[in-house]
Amino acid sequence: VSDRKLNGIGWSREAIARNIANDLPDGAVVNLGIGMPEKVVECIPEGREVLFHTENGLLGMGPSFGRHDPELINAGKNPVTAVPGAAYFHHADSFAMVRGGHIDICVLGAMQVSQTGDLANWSMGEQDAAPAVGGAMDLVAGVRTIFVAMTHCSRAGEHKLLRACTLPLTGRGVVSRIYTDLATIVVGQHGFEVLKLAPGVCRTYLQERTGAELIFSHEHQEGARRG
Amino acid sequence: VINKLCANAAEAVADIFDGALLLIGGFGAAGSPVELIHALIDQGAKGLTIVGNNTGSGHVGLASLIKHGRVARMICSFPRTANSTGFQDKYANGEIELELVPQGTLAERICAGGAGIAAFYTPAGAGTSLAHGKEVRRFDDRECVLEHGLTADFALIKCLRCDRYGNLIYNKTARNFAPIMATAARTTIVQTQSYVSAGEFDPEVIVTPGLYVDRIVTIPEPLQESTLVAAGAVYP
């Protein structure tokens, strides 16, 4: 991360959230998971109406605007607000919305994603550390379109976009798109299709940091330096 | 005459026995019935099985109950918080058992238990290691896992307003698991910020009908777990 910061390469966490928000269609109902996805609620472009669902019982979640009501929080336990027209409900209702196919898009964090869209985001596979699954398995089972927000590599520089996940899976073949600090990638029929490269990132740089072959034929030309 | 009101939290939790199975409301700090949990810590019951989404935070409430060795087993979806190592330490030392359940499955198991449904099939977790050892069946070409309904000896929950019959109204996302937990326990104990006479609520806005509630404790100014944790509070 630090060498990238020095070189001014890649997107910030805010920029990743903006990339996701820009791709959410008007009128969509979108669930936001823990971590990077939480920021998406702050980034919806002017004039677009997106209804945010949070698993802990609120449809119509808005940004906190610096307010802090301990009984009005999101899935990450951080303060949020309720937009005019919002609704509260209990947990079984909330997950009926999820599993019943009533949510259009879900944005989740990830530890690993495979080129066939397998997602691993709940367990590091360690013996003595308790895993924590939360709502991720219900979400990938019930929401048609899953977006992932993640750093492209681990802090130690290990690949997280892989041919096959090595960590325990959350779901198989569930991820549609991946938004990282280095690129936006679609999980297509033939694998990782690069849609957009982050500022300062060339094809070679991205391929070196990815554990599966990248397909560049779908890439947008804007702002990308070729390599 | 229906009277579910208890003099205080200690009286409300007095008969919780060693080895009891408890549902405890809350999602993170929101909706955590802090006063009831603290009364349970004072009361001393041990070997408890706790069903809840998380494992508490800081050194108060559920985190403190766990830290003091009262909990033998947790059934939860997310046993992790940024500011508490109570559960993680016990787990690493093999001093507490964990049954990890996907959050929606946890909610539906409680819902089913409360509604007299023995078990149900859900697609959540199918094909993952959390489905190991569970019956799997295909419906419309979709793999589903058999999950059992959950019932408990006691439920400890928090609400905003309560009337004499035990009809409940909640506050924002502090509602979370409370309405379903109220249905699934033999004895449901609720702490409420305000207590009013029957007939004060519009029947259209009642979230939990009173028949699910057995005991009521009025806590006019409840401690907020998040405020306690931020202040570094320790209980007891």
Side-chain angles (χ1 to χ4, degrees), chain B residues 134-166:
Chain B
K134 292 176 180 169
E135 187 186 319
V136 171
R137 195 167 147 185
R138 294 190 86 82
F139 294 89
D140 298 330
D141 219 32
R142 219 163 164 214
E143 205 174 281
C144 292
V145 186
L146 183 73
E147 294 282 359
H148 291 249
L150 250 176
T151 53
D153 300 304
F154 298 91
L156 307 184
I157 59 169
K158 179 185 182 180
C159 74
L160 182 65
R161 294 191 287 157
C162 171
D163 70 12
R164 184 166 65 82
Y165 286 165

Side-chain angles (χ1 to χ4, degrees), chain A residues 14-73:
Chain A
E14 289 73 15
I16 295 170
R18 267 200 307 279
N19 289 340
I20 296 168
N22 282 330
D23 287 351
L24 299 176
D26 191 35
V29 177
V30 180
N31 173 284
L32 298 180
I34 297 178
M36 244 191 262
E38 293 175 50
K39 282 195 183 302
V40 174
V41 75
E42 298 164 12
C43 304
I44 292 302
E46 196 83 21
R48 208 180 298 179
E49 200 164 36
V50 174
L51 214 45
F52 288 107
H53 173 271
T54 184
E55 65 188 11
N56 53 315
L58 167 61
L59 180 63
M61 170 175 61
S64 75
F65 300 115
R67 263 171 268 171
H68 191 159
D69 178 342
E71 299 203 323
L72 182 44
I73 59 173

Side-chain angles (χ1 to χ4, degrees), chain B:
Chain B
V1 174
I2 296 173
N3 182 17
K4 302 173 178 182
L5 200 59
C6 297
N8 51 48
E11 182 188 309
V13 304
D15 62 346
I16 296 180
F17 49 89
D18 289 354
L21 200 160
L22 273 75
L23 305 167
I24 299 187
F27 181 91
S32 175
V34 176
E35 281 77 6
L36 290 178
I37 300 172
H38 286 174
L40 179 61
I41 293 172
D42 297 343
Q43 189 258 32
K46 53 187 187 301
L48 303 170
T49 294
I50 305 289
V51 181
N53 191 61
N54 305 99
T55 50
S57 47
H59 303 279
V60 295
L62 181 55
S64 175
L65 189 72
I66 292 169
K67 194 176 84 183
H68 285 86
R70 308 290 175 74
V71 184
R73 184 155 170 259
M74 274 303 309
I75 302 177
C76 79
S77 90
F78 206 83
R80 199 185 288 160
T81 33
N83 48 32
S84 177
T85 59
F87 176 84
Q88 296 286 345
D89 294 345
K90 293 265 181 218
Y91 184 83
N93 293 331
E95 292 167 5
I96 195 165
E97 233 181 285
L98 170 67
E99 181 179 343
L100 193 72
V101 184
Q103 197 173 140
T105 299
L106 184 66
E108 197 60 22
R109 286 181 63 190
I110 296 165
C111 213
I117 301 292
F120 57 91
Y121 288 96
T122 174
T128 76
S129 60
L130 289 190
H132 282 172
K134 292 176 180 169
E135 187 186 319
V136 171
R137 195 167 147 185
R138 294 190 86 82
F139 294 89
D140 298 330
D141 219 32
R142 219 163 164 214
E143 205 174 281
C144 292
V145 186
L146 183 73
E147 294 282 359
H148 291 249
L150 250 176
T151 53
D153 300 304
F154 298 91
L156 307 184
I157 59 169
K158 179 185 182 180
C159 74
L160 182 65
R161 294 191 287 157
C162 171
D163 70 12
R164 184 166 65 82
Y165 286 165
N167 292 312
L168 308 182
I169 294 170
Y170 301 91
N171 186 40
K172 307 185 182 109
T173 58
R175 177 184 309 195
N176 57 69
F177 284 89
I180 52 173
M181 286 181 168
T183 70
R186 202 167 303 125
T187 303
T188 291
I189 307 169
V190 60
Q191 66 168 77
T192 180
Q193 220 164 313
S194 77
Y195 178 77
V196 298
S197 52
E200 289 276 312
F201 299 153
D202 175 355
E204 293 282 10
V205 306
I206 290 166
V207 178
T208 293
L211 88 169
Y212 293 119
V213 173
D214 300 287
R215 297 176 195 165
I216 301 160
V217 182
T218 308
I219 311 281
E221 286 173 32
L223 300 166
Q224 283 292 346
E225 188 179 298
S226 55
T227 313
L228 292 174
V229 171
V234 177
Y235 192 90

Side-chain angles (χ1 to χ4, degrees), chain A residues 122-199:
Chain A
W122 67 281
S123 169
M124 294 302 287
E126 295 156 344
Q127 276 307 310
D128 56 346
V133 66
M137 286 186 186
D138 312 272
L139 285 158
V140 300
V143 182
R144 232 164 305 124
T145 304
I146 303 288
F147 288 177
V148 157
M150 66 193 291
T151 56
H152 205 88
C153 297
S154 75
R155 242 168 251 175
E158 292 154 327
H159 293 165
K160 292 165 75 175
L161 277 70
L162 304 166
R163 275 191 198 93
C165 296
T166 57
L167 294 173
L169 291 187
T170 309
R172 227 177 271 279
V174 295
V175 177
S176 304
R177 277 178 186 232
I178 308 162
Y179 296 82
T180 80
D181 48 339
L182 302 184
T184 299
I185 292 167
V186 168
V187 180
Q189 285 259 294
H190 305 288
F192 292 136
E193 299 167 358
V194 178
L195 215 55
K196 246 164 112 182
L197 290 167

